[in-house]
């Protein structure tokens, strides 16, 4: 196994699962999320700088997953085939976890405006700081704060109603 | 993940609710069993394609560089730019006798053709050679690297009054005779004994234009045309100029004729283009003042280049470049930093 393949394997074991879950929350489709993350991993070592610097590689993976998720959602909107596949897949009536109905939560996330959804996922699932979330989303920290505030408010009100 | 990337857990109950919900929602999401092999295989394919693209790019870049190098070298290979035919240059004789081509814009000497070793009375510029009429009669053909030979077919001893060359042919005027030399053959055209050829111009087809004076009368010179392959000169009577033409040169549209603007005013000239078939005027041309009055017909010379620009040069060393309706003084000195003889340069 050459150097880049060994590095790629290490990176996969460390970050693939978490990035995959983040992608699922962003695109609400497990298969599409796998495609997004795998494509990001295939490209991560196109640059020798990222091969030498693990932090740069991770930052690239996060940005790429976010950007590819955005592209995927845009394509769905354009083709009018936007489907809440997570809702369909997780449509069992008794699937409450920690007191939250998964169907309700997935539906609520899918209904958030794109930027609010991204901010909420990055801040409250990936646990990124406001500054780092802003950097990845290429917006200001103030905008991240606003997106999160509105997103959380909307989600929590929905969840409280249904729980 | 670096420390600055992450945020400490927030105390807000709503945020905690959302956080818990998000984690719970994807808690059972796991990578597919084939995820890692697919990533590694995709990476290998990508590396192969990138390598192929890189090799292709390198080959393309090398090919482009090679072609550019070839073009660069070809453009600068002396045989492809024959001596004397470089654009934007004229041929002149330096004060030390060396024949040179001089860049029109800068006055820099572009190429040297050596010294003829005799007094020069007129110059003509060919595709690969420079022709120089010598005062002792005859014409020398000067080549690159100082090589020269005396042209056969031109009778030595005759005073050469004008020469011109085109497409490998050389026309030499001596008195009332014109010798047309082409490779190893010489064709002679003889006018009436009282006539004298003051100037001539040879076009690409072999057609000759002659400025002819009459020794027996004091009238102005006339313009005559000898068709290609012909042996008699047809006078262009319809071209009326009070003081006659002084010099002529072929352009792509007709004959450029230089004459004084008035008979009494010899320090200003006009260039008119006329139809060589009918003698009618094609263009009114331009007029401009000289630095001094013309003393004799040999004091001035006109020559043209492939773009129909006309170089007017005098024995005083002044030159003017006529381009359409514009007249601009050419390089003040014949060649920068080097003086020239009084032989008028030609393009």
């Amino acid at each position: 196994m050459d150097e880049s393949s060994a590095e790629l394997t290490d990176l996969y074991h460390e970050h693939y699962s978490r990035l995959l879950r983040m992608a699922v929350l962003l695109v609400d489709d497990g298969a599409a999320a796998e495609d997004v993350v795998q494509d990001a991993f295939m490209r991560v070592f196109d640059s020798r700088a990222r091969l030498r610097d693990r932090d740069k590689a991770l930052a690239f993976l996060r940005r790429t997953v976010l950007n590819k998720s955005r592209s995927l959602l845009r394509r769905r909107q354009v083709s009018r085939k936007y489907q809440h596949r997570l809702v369909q897949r997780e449509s069992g009536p008794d699937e409450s976890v920690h007191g939250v109905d998964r169907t309700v939560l997935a539906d609520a996330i899918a209904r958030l405006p794109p930027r609010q959804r991204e901010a909420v996922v990055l801040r409250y699932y990936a646990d990124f700081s406001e500054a780092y979330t802003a950097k990845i989303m290429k917006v200001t920290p103030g905008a991240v704060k606003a997106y999160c505030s509105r997103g959380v408010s909307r989600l929590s009100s929905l969840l409280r109603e249904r729980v | 993940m670096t420390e600055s990337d992450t945020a400490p857990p927030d105390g807000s109950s709503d945020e905690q609710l959302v956080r818990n919900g998000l984690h719970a929602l994807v808690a059972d999401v796991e990578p597919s069993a084939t995820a890692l092999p697919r990533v590694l295989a995709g990476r290998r394919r990508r590396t192969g394609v990138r390598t192929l693209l890189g090799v292709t790019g390198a080959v393309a870049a090398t090919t482009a560089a090679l072609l550019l190098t070839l073009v660069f070298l070809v453009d600068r290979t002396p045989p492809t730019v024959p001596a004397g035919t470089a654009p934007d240059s004229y041929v002149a004789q330096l004060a030390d006798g060396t024949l040179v081509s001089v860049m029109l814009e800068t006055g820099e000497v572009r190429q040297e053709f050596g010294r003829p070793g005799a007094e020069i009375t007129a110059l003509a510029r060919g595709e690969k050679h420079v022709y120089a009429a010598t005062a002792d009669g005859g014409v020398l053909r000067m080549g690159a690297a100082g090589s020269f030979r005396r042209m056969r077919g031109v009778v030595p001893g005759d005073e050469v009054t004008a020469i011109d060359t085109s497409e490998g042919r050389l026309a030499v005027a001596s008195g009332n005779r014109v010798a047309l030399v082409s490779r190893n053959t010489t064709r002679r055209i003889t006018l009436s004994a009282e006539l004298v050829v003051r100037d001539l111009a040879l076009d690409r087809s072999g057609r000759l234009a002659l400025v002819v004076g009459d020794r027996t009368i004091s009238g102005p010179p006339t313009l005559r045309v000898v068709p290609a392959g012909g042996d008699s000169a047809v006078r262009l009577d319809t071209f009326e100029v009070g003081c006659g033409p002084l010099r002529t040169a072929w352009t792509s549209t007709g004959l450029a004729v230089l004459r004084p603007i008035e008979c009494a005013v010899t320090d200003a000239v006009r260039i008119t283009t006329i139809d060589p078939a009918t003698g009618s005027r094609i263009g009114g041309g331009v007029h401009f003042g000289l630095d001094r009055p013309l003393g004799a017909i040999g004091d001035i010379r006109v020559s043209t280049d492939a773009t129909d620009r006309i170089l007017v040069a005098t024995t005083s060393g002044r030159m003017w470049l006529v381009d359409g309706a514009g007249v601009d003084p050419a390089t003040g000195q014949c060649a920068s930093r080097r003086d020239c003889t009084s032989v008028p340069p030609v393009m």
Side-chain angles (χ1 to χ4, degrees):
Chain A
M1 186 178 288
D2 61 19
E3 183 191 5
S4 65
S5 295
E7 283 288 332
L8 194 58
T9 304
D10 290 346
L11 208 58
Y12 172 90
H13 288 307
E14 286 178 37
H15 301 290
Y16 188 92
S17 292
R18 193 171 180 82
L19 287 167
L20 175 63
R21 290 168 183 169
M22 188 176 91
V24 169
L25 289 172
L26 290 172
V27 301
D28 59 32
D29 180 333
E34 283 258 17
D35 290 342
V36 164
V37 179
Q38 285 180 9
D39 195 40
F41 268 82
M42 287 175 201
R43 294 168 186 271
V44 68
F45 289 147
D46 283 356
S47 161
R48 290 185 184 279
R50 293 196 291 265
L51 181 62
R52 289 191 295 266
D53 188 333
R54 185 65 66 89
D55 286 343
K56 283 185 179 175
L58 183 56
F60 170 84
L61 288 172
R62 289 167 175 166
R63 271 197 311 275
T64 305
V65 167
L66 178 63
N67 290 336
K68 288 194 170 294
S69 299
R70 283 178 178 174
S71 300
L72 184 70
L73 292 181
R74 270 199 299 272
R75 284 200 300 275
R76 280 185 189 166
Q77 285 176 336
V78 169
S79 61
R80 299 185 177 184
K81 290 179 181 175
Y82 189 85
Q83 296 173 345
H84 309 298
R85 293 188 182 180
L86 195 62
V87 175
Q88 294 166 5
R89 195 185 63 181
E90 308 292 351
S91 58
D94 187 20
E95 294 189 20
S96 63
V97 179
H98 299 292
V100 177
D101 188 318
R102 299 177 66 164
T103 305
V104 173
L105 179 57
D107 187 40
I109 291 173
R111 289 177 184 279
L112 286 179
R115 291 293 180 270
Q116 283 185 26
R117 178 179 186 170
E118 289 172 9
V120 166
V121 169
L122 295 177
R123 283 283 285 131
Y124 302 116
Y125 174 74
D127 289 332
F128 295 159
S129 66
E130 269 180 7
Y132 190 72
T133 302
K135 186 178 173 184
I136 285 190
M137 289 180 67
K138 295 184 178 175
V139 296
T140 63
V144 170
K145 200 166 191 170
Y147 289 145
C148 288
S149 174
R150 292 186 199 123
V152 166
S153 173
R154 191 164 176 174
L155 285 175
S156 60
S157 63
L158 277 171
L159 292 173
R160 286 184 199 288
E161 285 174 9
R162 301 291 297 272
V163 171
Chain B
M1 189 182 297
T2 62
E3 194 173 331
S4 61
D5 298 343
T6 56
D10 203 297
S12 158
S13 59
D14 285 348
E15 289 175 349
Q16 196 57 46
L17 183 64
V18 169
R19 192 185 306 276
N20 292 339
L22 291 175
H23 279 85
L25 198 55
V26 292
D28 58 350
V29 172
E30 293 294 338
S32 66
T34 58
L36 181 57
R38 285 173 66 187
V39 166
L40 292 173
R43 172 67 198 163
R44 279 194 295 274
R45 276 197 308 274
R46 194 167 175 79
T47 304
V49 170
R50 282 165 62 84
T51 304
L52 182 63
L53 287 174
V55 169
T56 306
V59 169
T62 306
T63 305
L66 185 63
L67 288 173
L68 281 173
T69 305
L70 284 173
V71 169
F72 182 81
L73 289 176
V74 165
D75 277 349
R76 284 154 181 77
T77 302
T80 61
V81 183
T85 58
D88 298 324
S89 69
Y90 53 86
V91 175
Q93 186 181 33
L94 297 178
D96 64 3
T98 307
L99 294 179
V100 294
S101 67
V102 181
M103 298 307 293
L104 193 59
E105 295 290 334
T106 63
E108 296 291 327
V109 172
R110 182 180 179 278
Q111 187 166 8
E112 297 192 4
F113 297 93
R115 299 179 188 177
E119 183 184 351
I120 299 299
T121 58
L123 291 170
R125 170 184 182 165
E127 292 179 359
K128 297 180 180 178
H129 303 92
V130 172
Y131 297 88
T134 57
D136 58 354
V139 175
L140 296 176
R141 191 182 77 173
M142 313 288 295
S147 64
F148 70 92
R149 74 176 176 87
R150 188 170 289 275
M151 293 296 292
R152 287 178 291 183
V154 181
V155 181
D158 286 354
E159 181 190 359
V160 176
T161 52
I163 60 172
D164 196 15
T165 183
S166 179
E167 296 292 312
R169 302 184 184 92
L170 175 69
V172 183
S174 303
N176 66 330
R177 298 185 305 276
V178 174
L180 196 57
V181 182
S182 177
R183 296 185 179 175
N184 295 323
T185 62
T186 302
R187 187 158 54 89
R188 300 185 190 282
I189 300 165
T190 304
L191 306 181
S192 302
E194 71 278 10
L195 300 178
V196 58
V197 179
R198 306 286 190 194
D199 190 26
L200 59 75
L202 182 63
D203 80 351
R204 299 170 69 88
S205 68
R207 193 168 42 169
L208 270 172
L210 308 176
V211 175
V212 179
D214 191 331
R215 294 189 180 97
T216 61
I217 58 174
S218 60
T222 57
L223 198 62
R224 299 176 186 231
V225 172
V226 180
D231 55 5
S232 61
V234 178
R235 177 170 171 167
L236 293 177
D237 288 326
T238 55
F239 178 55
E240 298 174 357
V241 285
C243 301
L246 296 179
R247 291 286 184 176
T248 188
W250 289 100
T251 69
S252 62
T253 56
L255 264 177
V257 176
L258 180 140
R259 58 187 172 88
I261 59 171
E262 292 180 31
C263 296
V265 180
T266 58
D267 60 353
V269 294
R270 176 183 293 277
I271 292 180
T272 307
T273 302
I274 66 165
D275 183 342
T278 64
S280 59
R281 193 189 308 262
I282 295 175
V286 296
H287 62 86
F288 55 97
L290 305 174
D291 58 326
R292 67 178 68 172
L294 285 171
I297 199 168
D299 288 351
I300 198 165
R301 178 75 196 269
V302 296
S303 54
T304 54
D305 69 1
T307 60
D308 285 348
R309 292 185 303 178
I310 302 169
L311 183 71
V312 179
T314 65
T315 53
S316 65
R318 292 293 306 275
M319 288 184 286
W320 295 265
L321 187 66
V322 181
D323 189 357
V327 181
D328 293 309
T331 313
Q333 299 295 319
C334 172
S336 60
R337 297 186 296 278
R338 298 170 80 173
D339 292 331
C340 292
T341 63
S342 60
V343 180
V346 291
M347 281 208 300

